[in-house]
Amino acid sequence: MFLVGISGGIASGKSTVVAVLRELGCAVIDADVIAREVVQPNFKAYRQIVHYFGTKILLQNGEINREALGNIIFFHPEKQQLLNSITHPEIQKEILKQILKYFLLGYRYVILDIPLLFENRRFTKFMKYTVLVYCDPPMQRARLMKRNGLSRAEAEARIASQLPLDEKRKLASCVIDNSGDWESTRQQVLKLHARLEDSLDFLWARLAVGTVVAGLGGVVYLLLWHFIS
Ligand code: ADP
């Protein structure tokens, strides 16, 4: 099995591309969804957040008030590190669990949808391919204004707060240019999908696991043979 990271910029079309990949039957792990799950009540990260930040960050239904937590971090940036040290290990554990699940189900590759894939390059070394969903700046701004009902200045400010797509482009091993119409993007996704399906990179992990399992089986057989005879 191999891993494929996918990311974009705000309103560059990542959700649109991921929806097509899911439709084609790909296994997709959404890091954003996992990040929201691990802070739900009864999860370890939830208990630690309440322990360190207090019950004042809870909503009446017991869930974490993300806005209140966001405000604390905005005014006390040093607390961002504390929050990350609580949530990141839990997010990583959950991602690993899901990768293992897809491996056991026989998937050849898993797509990891990670918002800051190119900014925070901790994960890229584990990826066989990194895909950037690109959109040219004027189109990105126009789509963001339309989708989020923003003024031109608001949209520009949001885009400017991220690493520019042209920078991310240099870091990606594969680019889907979503500046055109839906059909042009769909064709590019189909091409990417065909390339991933044809890749034999998944064989290495299967061979490695097969070798380890066969080796362990051999050792067990020898031990049994030794003790029984
Ligand atoms: P992201 O997930 O990267 O923030 P989205 O996939 O939500 O971006 O796309 C941003 C907006 O642009 C959405 O409203 C979406 O419907 C629209 N959009 C995306 N791709 C296209 C396209 N190729 N043509 C027209 N509109 C598009």
Side-chain angles (χ1 to χ4, degrees):
M1 180 196 252
F2 61 93
L3 302 178
V4 181
I6 190 164
S7 201
I10 188 165
S12 71
K14 189 192 66 177
S15 313
T16 305
V17 168
V18 167
V20 179
L21 289 166
R22 283 189 195 274
E23 202 185 286
L24 292 167
C26 293
V28 181
I29 298 175
D30 186 330
D32 249 354
V33 170
I34 292 177
R36 281 195 292 272
E37 265 171 21
V38 300
V39 295
Q40 289 299 311
N42 296 325
F43 281 81
K44 186 176 163 194
Y46 172 91
R47 289 192 292 275
Q48 288 182 319
I49 291 170
V50 176
H51 176 75
Y52 287 107
F53 290 86
T55 48
K56 62 181 183 296
I57 52 105
L58 293 181
L59 292 167
Q60 271 191 339
N61 65 4
E63 286 187 12
I64 288 172
N65 182 340
R66 298 171 72 85
E67 208 185 319
L69 194 54
N71 280 336
I72 293 179
I73 283 156
F74 186 76
F75 291 109
H76 306 277
E78 74 285 357
K79 296 209 168 156
Q80 173 81 60
Q81 226 173 346
L82 171 63
L83 183 64
N84 290 349
S85 71
I86 295 172
T87 55
H88 286 181
E90 298 306 306
I91 295 170
Q92 282 162 20
K93 253 191 265 170
E94 189 53 39
I95 289 179
L96 279 177
K97 260 202 257 172
Q98 293 202 16
I99 292 174
L100 183 65
K101 177 186 83 181
Y102 287 121
F103 177 76
L104 295 174
L105 286 171
Y107 281 83
R108 292 176 169 199
Y109 60 91
V110 171
I111 296 171
L112 288 168
D113 175 348
I114 299 183
L116 297 177
L117 180 69
F118 297 106
E119 286 86 341
N120 170 359
R121 282 189 261 161
R122 244 173 339 141
F123 289 111
T124 50
K125 56 180 173 289
F126 302 110
M127 311 282 171
K128 186 74 200 164
Y129 303 98
T130 50
V131 181
L132 172 71
V133 181
Y134 178 85
C135 184
D136 67 49
M139 186 58 87
Q140 183 187 17
R141 187 184 60 221
R143 287 184 184 154
L144 177 58
M145 287 168 67
K146 189 168 170 210
R147 187 189 68 186
N148 292 27
L150 300 179
S151 68
R152 186 185 169 120
E154 286 168 332
E156 278 173 352
R158 292 218 190 166
I159 292 170
S161 71
Q162 299 187 330
L163 184 66
L165 285 174
D166 283 309
E167 289 301 313
K168 293 186 188 181
R169 206 180 171 130
K170 294 179 199 153
L171 305 169
S173 59
C174 182
V175 175
I176 294 203
D177 189 345
N178 184 39
S179 313
D181 60 16
W182 302 103
E183 190 46 34
S184 147
T185 299
R186 192 177 168 79
Q187 288 308 320
Q188 293 175 67
V189 180
L190 292 178
K191 247 194 209 158
L192 170 70
H193 180 250
R195 180 174 163 197
L196 296 175
E197 289 291 308
D198 288 346
S199 170
L200 294 178
D201 288 312
F202 74 97
L203 280 174
W204 295 110
R206 296 266 162 211
L207 273 175
V209 172
T211 309
V212 170
V213 170
L216 284 175
V219 171
V220 171
Y221 175 79
L222 284 176
L223 284 173
L224 284 174
W225 187 75
H226 177 78
F227 285 111
I228 292 169
S229 59

